[in-house]
Amino acid sequence: DYVRIHTTTQRLVTKEKIGDFATTLPNYFLRTHRSFLVNTRHITAFTAHDVEIGEIEIPIGISYKMQVMERLRK
C-alpha cells in the first residue's frame, strides 16, 4: 500500500493506496491501469494498449480501456 510518484525532477514514495491518492489529484490525471495514474498533459502518444510519456510506455488495463480512450480522444 504505497504509491511511487515520478515527476520531471524527482521521485517520491508515499504510504497510501493508489485509489485514495487518485481522489486528491486534479481532473487532468487519469487512471490507466490498476497500478498507474498519468498526467494527461504529458502524454505524447497513445494506442489502444498503452500511453506514452516521452519514451516511457504505460499500459492501459482492460477495465480502464474504454474510459481512457474516451478521455484521450476528446
Side-chain angles (χ1 to χ4, degrees):
D1 293 338
Y2 66 93
V3 175
R4 280 188 277 172
I5 304 163
H6 296 254
T7 70
T8 56
T9 59
Q10 60 185 348
R11 294 185 178 164
L12 307 164
V13 176
T14 181
K15 188 165 174 54
E16 193 169 356
K17 293 180 181 178
I18 193 168
D20 296 338
F21 187 74
T23 63
T24 65
L25 296 172
N27 65 353
Y28 51 84
F29 281 86
L30 176 63
R31 186 107 181 238
T32 62
H33 186 277
R34 68 184 180 101
S35 301
F36 293 95
L37 285 161
V38 297
N39 183 334
T40 58
R41 295 176 176 178
H42 293 281
I43 294 174
T44 53
F46 68 94
T47 69
H49 306 287
D50 62 42
V51 296
E52 294 177 13
I53 297 178
E55 295 182 12
I56 300 168
E57 292 182 3
I58 298 164
I60 297 174
I62 292 171
S63 61
Y64 297 91
K65 187 175 183 175
M66 185 179 295
Q67 175 187 356
V68 170
M69 291 296 114
E70 285 177 11
R71 281 273 305 272
L72 295 180
R73 288 186 176 144
K74 288 184 178 180

